[in-house]
Amino acid sequence: TDSDLLISKGRIDRIASSIEASDGMEIIDADGAWLLPGMIDDQVHFREPGLTHKGGIRSESRAAVAGGITSFMEMPNTIPATVTLDALEDKYAVAAEKSLANYAFYLGATNDNLDVIRSLQPGTAAGIKIFMGASTGSMLVDNEETLAGIFRDAPALITTHCERTPVIERNLAAAVEKYGREIPVTEHPNIRSAEACYQSTVIAIELARQYQAPLHVLHLTTAREMELFEPGPMQGKLVTGEVCVHFLHFSSDDYPRLGNNIKCNPAIKTAADRAGLMAALKQGRLDIIATDHAPHTREEKAVSDYLKAPSGLPLVQDALLSVLELYHDGELSMEDIVRLTAHNPAIRYKVKDRGFLREGQWADLVIVDTAQETAATRQRVLSQCGWSPFEGETFRSRIVST
Ligand code: DOR
C-alpha cells in the first residue's frame, strides 16, 4: 500500500495514507520503492575476537547495513570461543563500541560447559548454539549425555548445526581412498552428505520433543529433511527451521564454476534439494531466511586443495538482494519475504520492538527499489574479505537506503 511513515526519536511515530509535513521534518521521498522492516539475520560469523584477519564487527556490520540488515545474531566460533559468560559479555562490550547494527550473541555449547549454559540469564544471549557436526573451529558437541543435558536445562532457545560427523568421516575416507589428496570440490555435497544432515536433524528434533525444548534448526540444506518440519504458520511451533540465502540461490551445479568459494558447511546440495527447500518455504516448513555469513579471505579460499579450503561464504551485503530475486521470479511475495526475514526472526528470538512496520517500533527500515538493478561487482564489496560469491551476477533490485 501507499503510505507515509513518520519517524520520531528513532521510532515509528505514525503510519498514515498522508502525513502533513511540518517545520524541521526531513522528508525522504521513496515514491515507487518498497519500505520494509530491516532484515534480522539470526546467523552470522563476524570473526571478532581472534579471527579479525577475516572480518570484524565494524566491517561486517557495515556490509550488513548496506545490504538492508539492521540486526544480527552472531555465532560463538571465534577465538576464544564464546563458551563462557565472560567471553559473551566481552562481545557485547565490543559491539557496543563498534557495531553499526543491532546485535546479539550466542553462547556456544561444548562437551563440558553445561554449568555455564545453566547459569545463563534468559534474555542475555541470542540463544545457545550447538555444533552437532564439526565445522570451522572445534566446537563439536557429541557427548550424548551433554546433549541431553543441554536440551533438558537450556534457559534459552537452542539452535543447532545438524550434520552427523561419523557419517561425514566415513564419506571422507571413501573419497580419500578414491582420489587421494586430489579430491574435487564437486565431492563436497557427497562428503558432507544429505544423509549426514538427515540423521543429525532427526536426533536434534527428537531431543527437543523429549524435553519440550524450543529448537531452531539452522541452515537446512536438503529436501529430505523437510518432512521433519511441520507446515503452517510459525506461531506455536516447538521446532522451527531456517534456510540460508545461498541454499536458495546456488546448487551443486555451481561447484565447477565457483569451486571452493561456495564450499560451506552444511554443503550446498543438488538443484532438487534447492527445489525442495523452496517448496518447504511455501508450505511454512521453513520459518526463517538467514545468511550464515562466514567470511574467509580470498587467499584462504584460493588454495587448490579441497581439504584445506575453509568453509563459508560472505553474504550479508547481498542477502536481501538475493532473496528479492525470488520475488522477481514469482516464487515469494513481498509479504513472504518480510515475514521470513523480519517478522519471524523477531518473534522467534523475542526481539523487542523490531521486525515490523508498526507504530511504536524502532524505525529499523530499508528502502528497496525493485525497478533498479545492482551489479554484484567486487568493487562494491564492503566485507573485509573483499569478495562475494555473487560476483558477475546482476540483481534485479537495489537497496536504496537503510
Ligand atoms: O561454512 C561454514 N562456515 N559453516 C560453519 O558451520 C561455520 C562457518 C565458519 O565459521 O566459517
Side-chain angles (χ1 to χ4, degrees):
T1 55
D2 269 1
S3 287
D4 286 350
L5 181 147
L6 178 66
I7 301 172
S8 174
K9 299 196 183 88
R11 294 207 185 231
I12 300 172
D13 187 79
R14 201 144 68 83
I15 303 173
S17 56
S18 177
I19 296 173
E20 203 59 32
S22 62
D23 279 356
M25 244 187 221
E26 182 194 350
I27 295 173
I28 299 171
D29 182 358
D31 196 21
W34 298 86
L35 183 68
L36 311 180
M39 180 167 173
I40 299 176
D41 187 353
D42 73 19
Q43 194 189 176
V44 302
H45 301 263
F46 281 180
R47 307 304 194 198
E48 189 167 349
L51 294 164
T52 50
H53 69 286
K54 297 177 195 275
I57 288 176
R58 167 69 72 163
S59 64
E60 306 315 290
S61 68
R62 186 162 169 254
V65 169
I69 292 168
T70 49
S71 301
F72 64 84
M73 308 189 199
E74 207 264 350
M75 285 294 160
N77 58 337
T78 44
I79 301 176
T82 322
V83 296
T84 65
L85 298 187
D86 282 347
L88 185 64
E89 273 175 34
D90 285 350
K91 273 195 175 174
Y92 277 95
V94 172
E97 292 282 311
K98 294 190 182 172
S99 182
L100 299 177
N102 308 302
Y103 49 83
F105 296 92
Y106 287 88
L107 177 65
T110 68
N111 273 329
D112 45 41
N113 76 341
L114 188 52
D115 287 348
V116 177
I117 292 173
R118 286 196 188 110
S119 69
L120 180 74
Q121 290 299 314
T124 59
I128 311 292
K129 167 69 182 286
I130 316 177
F131 282 91
M132 289 177 63
S135 191
T136 307
S138 45
M139 293 189 62
L140 176 66
V141 182
D142 58 358
N143 179 310
E144 279 175 33
E145 256 171 62
T146 307
L147 264 182
I150 298 170
F151 279 85
R152 193 186 56 224
D153 296 342
L157 178 66
I158 296 173
T159 65
T160 52
H161 176 135
C162 287
E163 283 186 295
R164 196 93 176 111
T165 298
V167 176
I168 295 169
E169 281 169 355
R170 215 165 52 224
N171 295 338
L172 182 59
V176 169
E177 180 91 355
K178 184 162 173 202
Y179 298 102
R181 283 215 58 106
E182 310 269 283
I183 301 174
V185 66
T186 45
E187 284 301 308
H188 190 51
N190 302 326
I191 295 167
R192 306 216 55 134
S193 64
E195 180 63 28
C197 295
Y198 189 84
Q199 287 190 19
S200 180
T201 299
V202 165
I203 295 170
I205 292 176
E206 273 174 3
L207 284 166
R209 296 240 164 87
Q210 183 180 348
Y211 295 104
Q212 285 300 299
L215 166 68
H216 183 52
V217 184
L218 302 166
H219 49 41
L220 290 154
T221 56
T222 71
R224 185 167 167 220
E225 286 166 297
M226 296 300 102
E227 72 189 28
L228 303 170
F229 293 83
E230 268 172 73
M234 186 181 73
Q235 278 71 1
K237 287 184 189 172
L238 181 70
V239 176
T240 51
E242 171 194 288
V243 65
C244 295
V245 297
H246 43 317
F247 304 119
L248 298 172
H249 190 84
F250 300 108
S251 76
S252 51
D253 299 340
D254 294 304
Y255 288 111
R257 183 170 62 93
L258 294 168
N260 288 329
N261 279 359
I262 57 164
K263 181 187 180 198
C264 57
N265 304 332
I268 291 167
K269 308 287 194 309
T270 65
D273 285 303
R274 180 176 57 191
L277 296 171
M278 203 56 240
L281 263 182
K282 291 177 187 171
Q283 295 161 352
R285 291 178 196 274
L286 293 168
D287 305 283
I288 289 176
I289 301 179
T291 67
D292 196 10
H293 175 82
H296 297 282
T297 67
R298 253 179 307 196
E299 295 71 33
E300 287 168 330
K301 280 294 210 181
V303 297
S304 54
D305 187 342
Y306 158 77
L307 291 170
K308 286 201 180 130
S311 292
L313 286 60
L315 293 158
V316 280
Q317 193 175 348
D318 303 317
L320 192 54
L321 287 173
S322 92
V323 174
L324 286 165
E325 289 300 289
L326 300 169
Y327 165 79
H328 288 284
D329 291 339
E331 294 277 5
L332 294 178
S333 68
M334 199 57 83
E335 289 79 2
D336 290 332
I337 291 173
V338 168
R339 175 171 48 83
L340 293 160
T341 62
H343 298 344
N344 280 0
I347 294 166
R348 188 56 166 149
Y349 285 84
K350 301 190 167 74
V351 179
K352 198 164 175 277
D353 294 347
R354 303 185 195 278
F356 294 81
L357 296 190
R358 270 189 202 151
E359 293 174 1
Q361 288 232 334
W362 289 105
D364 296 353
L365 308 174
V366 54
I367 298 173
V368 165
D369 191 341
T370 47
Q372 283 190 68
E373 295 186 334
T374 305
T377 60
R378 183 168 283 186
Q379 296 87 285
R380 70 180 257 294
V381 173
L382 294 170
S383 274
Q384 187 186 306
C385 66
W387 66 276
S388 160
F390 298 100
E391 279 171 37
E393 297 192 36
T394 300
F395 297 114
R396 288 165 281 179
S397 310
R398 178 174 287 268
I399 309 294
V400 178
S401 177
T402 305

